[in-house]
Amino acid sequence: MFNGPKNDMKHLLMVLLIACLIPGAPAQTAPAWSPAKSIGMFAYPRNQQNPDQQLKDESNCYGSAKQNTGVDPQAPPPAGPSAQQEQAAQQQAAQQAKQDVGKGGTVKGAAGGAAGGAAIGAIAGDAGKGAAIGATVGAIAGRRKQRMAEQKAQQQAAQQTAQTQQQAQAQAQAQHQGATDTFKRAFSACMDARGYSVQ
């Protein structure tokens, strides 16, 4: 009956024409965007609501939840300080700690060394020379101790600042998540009251 490419083409066109003309059940498709999907939730109609009604109900519940909770779930989470800001704060804390350590390590070391050197020099027969040598050695030792104390204070201050920054960021994230969860509960309650199952 259908022999050849010309007849095959006619047959295909007739099938397509018939397929287009046969009335079928109207396809109900869910909207591509919905307020529920925008917050990571899924709403399923329990009372055969059509997609237009569902979109309207979701929009109304979204607005109601936003108004009642004061939360905008589309707002970005709080941004913490940048790496440069964190580093600057840590350096500032370290510099402050260095200043807080105190001065005079060299002088204190020299005084202690001079006293010890004088005592040793007195036994050896030249207290002045012993005191001078003791003061030099004591000054070097005192300065080294002071530098070590400054470095330790700087490291501790930088670590404490970093830890405080991390805690503040974690707390801000937790508050944001809590607010988002509150919004989702309000949205779900509204949708449930309108006959939807929301997950």
Side-chain angles (χ1 to χ4, degrees), residues 58-70 183 186-187 190 194:
E58 285 184 22
S59 296
N60 288 338
C61 287
Y62 187 94
S64 174
K66 187 174 177 179
Q67 182 179 10
N68 289 329
T69 63
F183 178 89
F187 177 81
C190 178
R194 293 177 184 233

Side-chain angles (χ1 to χ4, degrees), residues 20 29 43 45 47 57 63 72 90 96-98 105 116 121 130 141 146 148 167 176 185 188 197:
C20 290
T29 58
N47 301 328
D57 289 338
D72 180 4
Q90 291 170 12
Q96 183 62 41
K98 181 179 177 181
Q146 184 174 346
M148 290 173 59
Q167 289 172 345
H176 181 265
R185 284 194 309 276
S188 295
S197 175

Side-chain angles (χ1 to χ4, degrees), residues 2-190:
F2 293 104
N3 297 337
K6 198 175 205 182
N7 286 333
D8 286 343
M9 186 62 100
K10 284 182 184 178
H11 179 347
L12 180 62
L13 285 175
M14 284 179 31
V15 170
L16 289 174
L17 182 61
I18 291 170
C20 290
L21 294 177
I22 296 176
Q28 289 189 356
T29 58
W33 178 88
S34 78
K37 289 179 183 176
S38 75
I39 56 173
M41 300 186 83
F42 299 94
Y44 300 99
R46 287 189 296 225
N47 301 328
Q48 287 75 40
Q49 297 96 322
N50 67 39
D52 291 335
Q53 182 63 43
Q54 181 175 344
L55 182 59
K56 181 180 175 186
D57 289 338
E58 285 184 22
S59 296
N60 288 338
C61 287
Y62 187 94
S64 174
K66 187 174 177 179
Q67 182 179 10
N68 289 329
T69 63
V71 175
D72 180 4
Q74 300 303 318
S82 70
Q84 293 170 339
Q85 291 170 326
E86 287 180 359
Q87 188 176 15
Q90 291 170 12
Q91 287 174 347
Q92 183 179 9
Q95 289 300 323
Q96 183 62 41
K98 181 179 177 181
Q99 292 174 358
D100 291 345
V101 167
K103 302 292 181 200
T106 306
V107 174
K108 290 176 187 174
I120 293 171
I123 294 171
D126 190 354
K129 189 174 182 180
I133 293 171
T136 303
V137 171
I140 293 170
R143 181 65 188 137
R144 186 171 8 143
K145 283 182 183 179
Q146 184 174 346
R147 280 190 202 149
M148 290 173 59
E150 288 172 356
Q151 287 175 347
K152 185 175 180 181
Q154 287 176 320
Q155 288 173 348
Q156 287 175 343
Q159 288 172 350
Q160 287 174 341
T161 301
Q163 188 176 31
T164 301
Q165 290 169 335
Q166 290 171 352
Q167 289 172 345
Q169 182 64 22
Q171 184 178 7
Q173 293 284 350
Q175 286 176 341
H176 181 265
Q177 186 61 48
T180 301
D181 291 345
T182 299
F183 178 89
K184 287 180 177 182
R185 284 194 309 276
F187 177 81
S188 295
C190 178

